[in-house]
Amino acid sequence: MNLKLLGAALVVLATLVSNPLWAEEASAGDRTATGGAQTLEDIMARQEQLKVDESFRSENLGDPANAAPSTDQLGTNGGLSNSDVYRAIRYNEADVRTQARTPAATVLIQDGGMPWYKLREGPLITYGGLALLGIIALLAVFYLIRGRIKIDGGPAGTTIERFKAIERFGHWLLAGSFIALGITGLITLMGRSFLIPVLGPEAYATLAAGSKWLHNNIAWAFMLGLVMTFSMWVVHNIPNKLDWQWIKAGGGIFTKSHPPAKKFNAGQKIIFWTVMLLGFSVSLSGLSLLFPFEMPMFAKTFGIINSVLGTDLPAVLAPHEEMQYANIWHSIVAFVMMVAIIAHIYIGSVGMEGAFDAMGKGHVDLEWARQHHDLWVAEVEAKQGKGGSS
Ligand code: HEM
């Protein structure tokens, strides 16, 4: 993903989290009954994600001396509530000191929770879910139209080594962990909407706790698989002129031709770089979620993007906002990866005759290899000084 695209994605993300696009303006309402303080309607409107004009309280912090309790201890007022103090805390005008020494200790009020929650329960589940169902439907239609991609003229019967055991181990470590992370991640994200109504809260609580535990621990296997496959295959995935030819020919998928390719064709390189770059990003945001408040990265990233693209992303974020961004970004990236990987799984199994053997047995039929990776076969044969082995 180039920087401009990444910047645009983050601008959309920042807008969604801090200022939901779908929010309608709430009517100002009559606050005379509360002496100018917020009304029940204001609270309800905020929970409904309506935009509330906050100026009636953000511009009403009272006496600045009173509103900045830099030396006073909170809680010494007994039953008395000092609204000026709480408004000052809410709008970050109070110099708060606490005895707790955790990274987020000085944030007493952070009101990004509802927008984050609504974004997660609403558009994220809806569009993410639709993307998964969409790619499955698209592949089903593709299968009906194109059918299984066969080896022209049938298999040769002799084979050639495609992946060594260590490469297959790396692939299956990555693949197995990714699938487990995808399933447990979806259970965590969608459970409240889809599983609690079916399983009930008690059974779901057990499932959710198990999913979270698995998700947090399997993540390490995924990262190891990512490093292994990256280091073993990056040399074969450097883009070159051939890739452009392959893309122009649409991979030969519809014309039923076989554009020349080395070890990996352009389609596979796209999968490789999607998995590596998004895998890196999903791992980083995942680590940031795994160690709350210890790895803030969005304010810094937004700052860099602002300086490069001249955008106006928030470069100062409360620790909780960092966590909200990390959570939403982690899910968006995971959905994009899942869509790409579902297509990859299709083409590596039912979609193409002879493909699965590459990762299943490590050896592929020579005719399959000649049709899909002719230049790679020529390289291997030149090195060996002979044809394929059986
Ligand atoms: C059941 C699931 C899967 C199957 C059947 C499968 C199958 C395959 C096959 C057959 C190849 C080798 C293609 C060739 O010989 O050229 C391959 C390569 C690869 N796989 Fe998978 N795979 C699966 C899941 C995954 C997952 C979950 C990931 C990553 C998260 C992944 C990442 C890759 C990458 C990066 C490559 C090398 C580039 C490419 O061929 O596209 N695979 N896979």
Side-chain angles (χ1 to χ4, degrees):
M1 196 187 284
N2 70 30
L3 195 60
K4 276 216 165 124
L5 212 63
L6 178 72
L10 287 172
V11 172
V12 173
L13 175 65
T15 318
L16 289 176
V17 174
S18 58
N19 181 21
L21 291 172
W22 60 92
E24 295 164 28
E25 190 92 36
S27 69
D30 179 10
R31 300 191 185 97
T32 45
T34 56
Q38 69 177 335
T39 60
L40 183 59
E41 283 73 31
D42 290 324
I43 298 168
M44 304 286 281
R46 269 204 304 277
Q47 288 190 357
E48 289 302 317
Q49 289 292 285
L50 299 173
K51 277 185 197 154
V52 178
D53 178 7
E54 294 279 312
S55 57
F56 72 93
R57 54 182 189 160
S58 64
E59 289 166 14
N60 183 21
L61 304 185
D63 177 359
N66 194 19
S70 52
T71 49
D72 296 353
Q73 281 185 9
L74 288 177
T76 53
N77 290 342
L80 287 179
S81 168
N82 185 339
S83 315
D84 289 350
V85 169
Y86 284 102
R87 277 197 293 273
I89 292 171
R90 175 181 293 280
Y91 294 105
N92 214 16
E93 294 296 330
D95 177 15
V96 176
R97 291 171 201 189
T98 60
Q99 287 178 325
R101 285 290 167 261
T102 57
T106 55
V107 180
L108 301 190
I109 301 177
Q110 196 269 335
D111 53 10
M114 282 312 285
W116 165 77
Y117 175 70
K118 291 272 180 173
L119 178 58
R120 191 183 136 90
E121 293 294 304
L124 198 60
I125 290 184
T126 310
Y127 295 121
L130 283 177
L132 295 186
L133 295 177
I135 188 71
I136 292 170
L138 213 67
L139 290 169
V141 171
F142 179 76
Y143 182 76
L144 291 178
I145 297 173
R146 178 67 170 86
R148 190 167 208 221
I149 298 169
K150 297 253 188 237
I151 302 174
D152 292 342
T158 48
T159 61
I160 178 170
E161 185 181 47
R162 181 119 174 103
F163 294 110
K164 296 197 168 10
I166 182 78
E167 291 177 285
R168 284 181 284 137
F169 174 78
H171 175 267
W172 290 119
L173 185 67
L174 181 72
S177 58
F178 183 86
I179 291 169
L181 289 169
I183 293 171
T184 50
L186 288 175
I187 290 175
T188 310
L189 177 69
M190 299 193 173
R192 187 184 286 258
S193 308
F194 297 109
L195 295 177
I196 291 183
V198 182
L199 302 177
E202 282 83 11
Y204 177 69
T206 312
L207 180 64
S211 289
K212 176 179 178 280
W213 187 88
L214 286 173
H215 198 86
N216 290 353
N217 289 290
I218 291 174
W220 302 106
F222 174 76
M223 288 185 264
L224 180 61
L226 204 64
V227 171
M228 281 184 76
T229 48
F230 178 80
S231 33
M232 293 186 295
W233 296 338
V234 66
V235 281
H236 301 294
N237 281 285
I238 313 288
N240 58 34
K241 273 192 223 148
L242 267 181
D243 298 327
W244 185 229
Q245 278 182 34
W246 192 93
I247 290 172
K248 278 198 293 193
I253 287 174
F254 290 101
T255 52
K256 302 194 178 181
S257 61
H258 296 294
K262 292 194 175 186
K263 175 127 183 173
F264 292 126
N265 62 39
Q268 290 176 294
K269 288 182 185 177
I270 291 172
I271 291 291
F272 177 84
W273 287 110
T274 304
V275 168
M276 294 306 147
L277 298 179
L278 297 190
F280 180 67
S281 188
V282 89
S283 304
L284 267 191
S285 49
L287 286 170
S288 165
L289 292 167
L290 200 53
F291 301 105
F293 307 120
E294 303 287 351
M295 294 177 60
M297 53 188 69
F298 280 86
K300 272 189 217 149
T301 312
F302 288 163
I304 296 170
I305 291 175
N306 286 346
S307 60
V308 176
L309 299 180
T311 44
D312 195 22
L313 297 167
V316 179
L317 294 171
H320 303 77
E321 275 175 292
E322 284 279 356
M323 297 301 294
Q324 288 152 0
Y325 276 109
N327 176 267
I328 299 293
W329 181 251
H330 189 73
S331 318
I332 293 175
V333 174
F335 272 120
V336 176
M337 286 184 80
M338 284 189 271
V339 168
I341 287 303
I342 290 173
H344 167 78
I345 293 176
Y346 169 80
I347 205 76
S349 56
V350 283
M352 182 186 277
E353 181 185 7
F356 186 80
D357 289 342
M359 280 304 165
K361 300 179 188 156
H363 286 70
V364 286
D365 186 83
L366 189 58
E367 195 46 42
W368 177 91
R370 288 216 167 103
Q371 288 173 18
H372 297 289
H373 301 276
D374 52 348
L375 302 175
W376 168 74
V377 175
E379 271 171 23
V380 175
E381 286 179 346
K383 257 189 217 158
Q384 293 175 342
K386 58 180 170 70
S389 60
S390 50

